[in-house]
Amino acid sequence: MADSALPAPGTIGGAIDVTPHHKAPGTFLETLHSWVVTVDHKKLGIMYVLYALVFLLVGGVEALCIRIQLGRPENHFLSPEVYNRFFTMHGTTMVFLMGMPMLVGFMNYLVPLMIGARDMAFPRLNAFSFWMTAFGGLMLYYSFIGGSGLYAAGNAPDVGWFAYAPLTARAFSPGHSTDYWTVSLLVSGVGTIGAAVNVIATVFCMRCKGMTMMRLPLFAWLSVVTSALILMAIPPLTAAQVMLMIDRYLGGHFFDTLAGGSALMWMHFFWIFGHPEVYILVMPAFAVANEVIPVFSRKPIFGYPAMVAASVGIAFVSLGVWAHHMFTVGMTSVGNAFFALSTMIVGIPTGIKIFNWLATMWGGKIRFATPMLYMTAFLFQFLMAGLTGIMLSVAPWNWQLHNSYFVVAHFHYVLVGAILFALMGGICYWYPKVTGRMLDEKLGKWGFWLLVIGFHMTFDFMHIPGLLGMPRQIYTYEAGRGWDTWNLIVSIGAFVQAAAVLLFAYNLLVSYFRGEVAGNDPWDAWTLEWATSSPPPEYNFVADPVVTSRRPLWDMKHPEDPDWKYE
Amino acid sequence: MSAIPIPVHQVDQPAEWTQPYKGRVGMYCLIAAESAIFAIFVVAYVFYLGKSMYGPTPGQVLEVPIFNTICLLSSSITIWLAEHALEHNRIKRFGAFWAVTIVLGSIFMIGTGMEWNKLIYHDGLTITTNVFGTTYYSLVGLHASHVIVGLLMLLAVLVFTLMGHMKEEHAERVKTLALYWHFVDAIWVVVFTVVYVIGR
Ligand SMILES: [Cu+2]
């Protein structure tokens, strides 16, 4: 590395905005206009996250309805048709309209600030991507109003979030509901790909002086890895959706078994997307943990290069494990063995990461503020989720539990226990930067503990009816199978979680108006986003920062013991 | 908003700090994503070979489009010559080679149109006829749609050139666009091999 060519330390001071800017707030229309036409990565990032939070509430309400329906045996809270729509929409919403926009929002807001840039590489593409994503989501939900197309055909999509053929064929899904599903995922997929292109170009081409790839904050590194995975994983879904559209609209035969097509191919194409998608969602959770855990442990991250290598490794391995979702379709034993082993291999780089986080915390001076609480819970819950994942990767075990509530419990452990916890922790951590106000710590802790209790009530106990043979996506069940009590506990837990999420949302709202003023750097952190004011000005930094180590802000605050001396 | 008054240190001028051109990186990313889409369609084509329940089969109706292929592949050479000319500020030469590229691309599209015309009206093969029709038209059509998008963008550049707006400093951008064209040509090599060599 050409370190000798880089400047002396202590040079990011000039990057701080010292000019007070008091601008009179515009009228409502002016404000609205400024948000709609904006190409500012920060505003777009905020819109992504708000959009995701709205759909978190919507998808959450669907989840609650599902849980009311399943809370008691032989319940008829929802009709079977509505139940099918709700679990389809819940899954699709949480993955495509909540998870993806949330992580893209995080990357959008933070990556340019962390690398000392003034905006993304392609600001207009950025705005285009957001509005495509937003359009996709709105179109999906428009299906509730306009989706039937045919008398009594049913409105919203009801084919499950993985939409297996031949259920999606015209004969079995009449009307337009499946088309809404296809087209909206296609549209929001285009938005996601645009965002990924943008993040990669930003990190590779827009870094400030001295920010070599090995000094990049890990959040930015993992954003690159996530984006690369998006580029590899979303296009197969797009291709599969195009094929489905050709089948449904133009009378093609891709998934039409009667004409020689193959329903199995849909499963392959879907999971070639579907499995890396899990890592697309979890990688930003890792990214948040990589930033938050060191700051609240008062130690630099343990094993930075190992962390980078492990992330890249996970990305590569995750492209070759998709058929572990398909053990029961009858693959050859070679196929079964390959996908079981490749799935287990993911455990190695993941384990490296967990040990690195533990080693970062080990001997540190840990402050258990709300963001750190979320990270601690993330660590343990992610470990648990990984362990049930390895159990499910064992093909014979999988034959027994395929499509049971055990699987549902496992992936919700990942999606809620790891990803949602980490992202909520991330929101708590960066909220002061985005709004200039601190979140209410007391409300935050209440929300956290409520969520922990609700989460474990729901998803710990959800494993048990799965082990007892309860299949997923069933409308109801008869009493006396041994599932009743467990389902009731799970449903109660869902409501505790809902209360926690509402408390979290309330905290975001109230603190915006009444929170303590945060200042530039409330957590005494080390990355560049904390060097500028809160909220950052439109141009981020007055002068382009120059960095000389992985923790530029530490160098600035501790000129007597800067990091660059040890690099 | 409180700002910490920190003295601005004298910044030494860093000797070298170069990063890649963002358009090029963005285009490579787009190409990666597009390659993934094509990979799925190619896999589908290969998987569904011989799975049709009824004819026509590829062997019965497909003719190898040699002239078309020569035109499309040589357009990669002409666009490279055009890029080169622009870098040396020879605008007229650039415009000429750029126009030749467009002509070659258009010949390819006309050839594909004639091929499809024959397949549809003479051989009775449409996208609904059988699995071969479904996969053939979607794979070749996906590629053709990329050629059309490329041609439209090339045409835009040609219009700018004719209006006298093209200068040496645009070389980097033009090269980024040319990268896309090279990609479309490279994909044709794959499609050609799969559809007309292996699949026939
Ligand atoms: Cu998987």
Side-chain angles (χ1 to χ4, degrees):
Chain A
M1 221 173 291
D3 274 5
S4 56
L6 296 169
T11 45
I12 59 168
I16 295 174
D17 188 14
V18 287
T19 50
H21 39 263
H22 297 294
K23 215 167 48 183
T27 64
F28 173 73
L29 266 182
E30 279 169 4
T31 316
L32 185 70
H33 180 257
S34 78
W35 282 84
V36 170
V37 302
T38 188
V39 291
D40 179 4
H41 73 99
K42 295 181 291 300
K43 281 187 168 169
L44 287 166
I46 293 171
M47 286 201 284
Y48 266 117
V49 172
L50 289 180
Y51 171 88
L53 285 175
V54 167
F55 276 113
L56 175 67
L57 297 181
V58 174
V61 169
E62 285 158 359
L64 289 181
C65 293
I66 293 171
R67 280 325 309 178
I68 295 175
Q69 168 61 26
L70 292 176
R72 286 187 323 124
E74 279 149 60
N75 201 356
H76 294 284
F77 175 72
L78 301 173
S79 72
E81 293 80 19
V82 172
Y83 180 80
N84 286 353
R85 282 173 213 148
F86 270 31
F87 74 66
T88 304
M89 290 297 267
H90 167 73
T92 311
T93 304
M94 288 308 200
V95 171
F96 294 99
L97 312 184
M98 187 270 161
M100 301 288 274
M102 178 82 96
L103 68 92
V104 172
F106 266 73
M107 299 197 295
N108 243 301
Y109 194 96
L110 293 170
V111 166
L113 282 169
M114 282 184 166
I115 62 172
R118 287 195 163 153
D119 207 322
M120 300 284 273
F122 310 110
R124 275 178 294 185
L125 173 65
N126 204 9
F128 172 76
S129 306
F130 171 74
W131 291 107
M132 285 300 268
T133 309
F135 179 53
L138 295 180
M139 182 151 57
L140 184 65
Y141 270 86
Y142 182 75
S143 65
F144 274 112
I145 308 168
S148 49
L150 204 68
Y151 178 67
N155 45 25
D158 55 359
V159 288
W161 92 281
F162 37 66
Y164 278 173
L167 184 56
T168 47
R170 265 235 174 281
F172 307 108
S173 291
H176 295 319
S177 59
T178 305
D179 302 319
Y180 270 96
W181 182 81
T182 311
V183 178
S184 17
L185 293 201
L186 198 100
V187 167
S188 66
V190 169
T192 312
I193 291 172
V197 169
N198 220 334
V199 168
I200 294 183
T202 306
V203 172
F204 283 167
C205 313
M206 309 284 284
R207 283 162 291 140
C208 67
K209 273 178 192 148
M211 180 76 75
T212 59
M213 286 309 273
M214 286 320 274
R215 285 185 189 148
L216 209 56
L218 278 171
F219 184 95
W221 245 117
L222 267 69
S223 297
V224 172
V225 177
T226 311
S227 304
L229 260 183
I230 288 177
L231 292 183
M232 291 294 100
I234 301 284
L237 178 69
T238 309
Q241 304 283 23
V242 171
M243 290 177 187
L244 185 56
M245 282 206 287
I246 289 174
D247 273 15
R248 284 181 61 89
Y249 279 109
L250 304 178
H253 306 292
F254 280 110
F255 310 119
D256 173 11
T257 36
L258 287 177
S262 163
L264 194 61
M265 282 314 265
W266 171 269
M267 296 174 89
H268 276 294
F269 293 155
F270 185 85
W271 289 116
I272 285 174
F273 146 78
H275 186 84
E277 170 70 15
V278 178
Y279 289 88
I280 292 172
L281 290 170
V282 83
M283 208 59 92
F286 297 164
V288 172
N290 283 336
E291 295 304 323
V292 176
I293 288 177
V295 167
F296 286 89
S297 306
R298 311 309 302 155
K299 280 172 68 189
I301 189 88
F302 182 90
Y304 176 102
M307 224 44 160
V308 173
S311 309
V312 177
I314 289 178
F316 270 108
V317 179
S318 78
L319 291 172
V321 301
W322 74 88
H324 63 211
H325 297 263
M326 300 164 55
F327 282 134
T328 51
V329 303
M331 291 186 291
T332 59
S333 50
V334 175
N336 284 339
F338 174 83
F339 284 106
L341 286 174
S342 64
T343 305
M344 289 177 195
I345 287 175
V346 178
I348 296 172
T350 315
I352 293 176
K353 278 171 169 287
I354 290 188
F355 280 118
N356 277 350
W357 288 319
L358 288 178
T360 306
M361 292 166 79
W362 188 265
K365 204 171 149 194
I366 301 179
R367 291 182 295 178
F368 280 112
T370 320
M372 188 59 175
L373 285 177
Y374 275 107
M375 286 313 128
T376 321
F378 152 81
L379 259 183
F380 287 103
Q381 286 156 191
F382 179 58
L383 177 65
M384 288 291 298
L387 291 178
T388 51
I390 291 181
M391 287 156 81
L392 284 170
S393 75
V394 180
W397 175 273
N398 193 296
W399 292 333
Q400 182 65 25
L401 288 171
H402 182 77
N403 265 6
S404 74
Y405 259 85
F406 189 86
V407 175
V408 178
H410 156 70
F411 71 71
H412 279 86
Y413 234 90
V414 180
L415 292 168
V416 180
I419 298 169
L420 186 67
F421 267 74
L423 291 180
M424 282 170 81
I427 291 178
C428 293
Y429 179 65
W430 280 292
Y431 185 87
K433 179 49 63 185
V434 176
T435 62
R437 306 275 187 153
M438 299 300 283
L439 277 176
D440 189 290
E441 189 66 13
K442 208 162 144 202
L443 275 180
K445 285 203 165 119
W446 267 99
F448 168 76
W449 286 111
L450 258 182
L451 189 62
V452 169
I453 293 167
F455 169 79
H456 285 280
M457 266 181 86
T458 303
F459 296 113
D460 292 9
F461 291 109
M462 194 185 272
H463 288 88
I464 299 169
L467 287 170
L468 296 175
M470 181 173 167
R472 72 193 285 195
Q473 298 186 340
I474 52 165
Y475 170 58
T476 189
Y477 51 93
E478 55 197 13
R481 283 174 173 253
W483 305 344
D484 317 11
T485 324
W486 304 118
N487 271 302
L488 187 62
I489 299 175
V490 167
S491 293
I492 295 170
F495 278 90
V496 179
Q497 288 185 76
V501 170
L502 282 182
L503 198 61
F504 184 83
Y506 173 75
N507 193 2
L508 294 183
L509 217 62
V510 168
S511 302
Y512 182 72
F513 298 104
R514 280 193 250 142
E516 255 179 78
V517 173
N520 292 355
D521 183 18
W523 308 118
D524 193 8
W526 304 312
T527 36
L528 276 180
E529 78 268 30
W530 304 103
T532 183
S533 56
S534 313
E538 258 173 72
Y539 40 85
N540 291 354
F541 304 99
V542 176
D544 286 338
V546 177
V547 301
T548 43
S549 79
R550 273 178 206 153
R551 300 193 298 166
L553 221 55
W554 169 275
D555 294 355
M556 192 180 85
K557 287 183 276 197
H558 303 274
E560 74 289 349
D561 184 29
D563 265 10
W564 56 266
K565 277 192 183 164
Y566 307 100
E567 275 187 11
Chain B
M1 211 170 312
S2 66
I4 320 169
I6 292 163
V8 181
H9 294 249
Q10 200 58 45
V11 181
D12 298 346
Q13 283 305 317
E16 276 286 300
W17 186 247
T18 49
Q19 293 178 95
Y21 172 58
K22 64 182 182 181
R24 181 158 277 262
V25 173
M27 185 54 82
Y28 275 123
C29 290
L30 186 70
I31 286 175
E34 295 272 22
S35 308
I37 292 187
F38 274 104
I40 294 293
F41 274 93
V42 167
V43 166
Y45 189 87
V46 174
F47 174 82
Y48 287 123
L49 271 179
K51 295 268 196 319
S52 295
M53 300 290 201
Y54 18 81
T57 63
Q60 288 167 344
V61 292
L62 287 188
E63 283 159 24
V64 185
I66 294 181
F67 178 66
N68 253 350
T69 305
I70 292 173
C71 284
L72 191 66
L73 295 189
S74 45
S75 77
S76 240
I77 301 171
T78 54
I79 204 172
W80 179 78
L81 288 169
E83 293 167 50
H84 216 67
L86 188 62
E87 274 180 312
H88 293 88
N89 205 13
R90 299 169 67 182
I91 306 295
K92 281 228 173 82
R93 192 179 151 87
F94 163 77
F97 277 119
W98 200 260
V100 172
T101 310
I102 294 175
V103 169
L104 288 170
S106 309
I107 292 175
F108 175 83
M109 278 316 299
I110 293 167
T112 306
M114 281 160 57
E115 187 188 2
W116 284 26
N117 188 57
K118 172 199 164 269
L119 287 174
I120 294 170
Y121 291 106
H122 182 257
D123 304 316
L125 180 76
T126 67
I127 201 162
T128 56
T129 309
N130 55 13
V131 176
F132 162 58
T134 304
T135 52
Y136 169 81
Y137 284 111
S138 32
L139 178 58
V140 176
L142 185 69
H143 176 262
S145 60
H146 279 75
V147 177
I148 293 173
V149 170
L151 280 176
L152 290 177
M153 293 193 292
L154 295 190
L155 263 177
V157 174
L158 187 68
V159 169
F160 287 135
T161 314
L162 293 177
M163 285 163 66
H165 292 311
M166 200 50 75
K167 298 199 185 66
E168 192 183 351
E169 71 227 40
H170 299 128
E172 194 90 70
R173 288 171 178 222
V174 166
K175 284 176 85 161
T176 308
L177 178 54
L179 202 58
Y180 174 83
W181 191 255
H182 290 307
F183 163 71
V184 171
D185 287 359
I187 285 290
W188 179 249
V189 177
V190 176
V191 173
F192 180 85
T193 316
V194 167
V195 174
Y196 298 98
V197 180
I198 301 171
R200 215 158 62 93

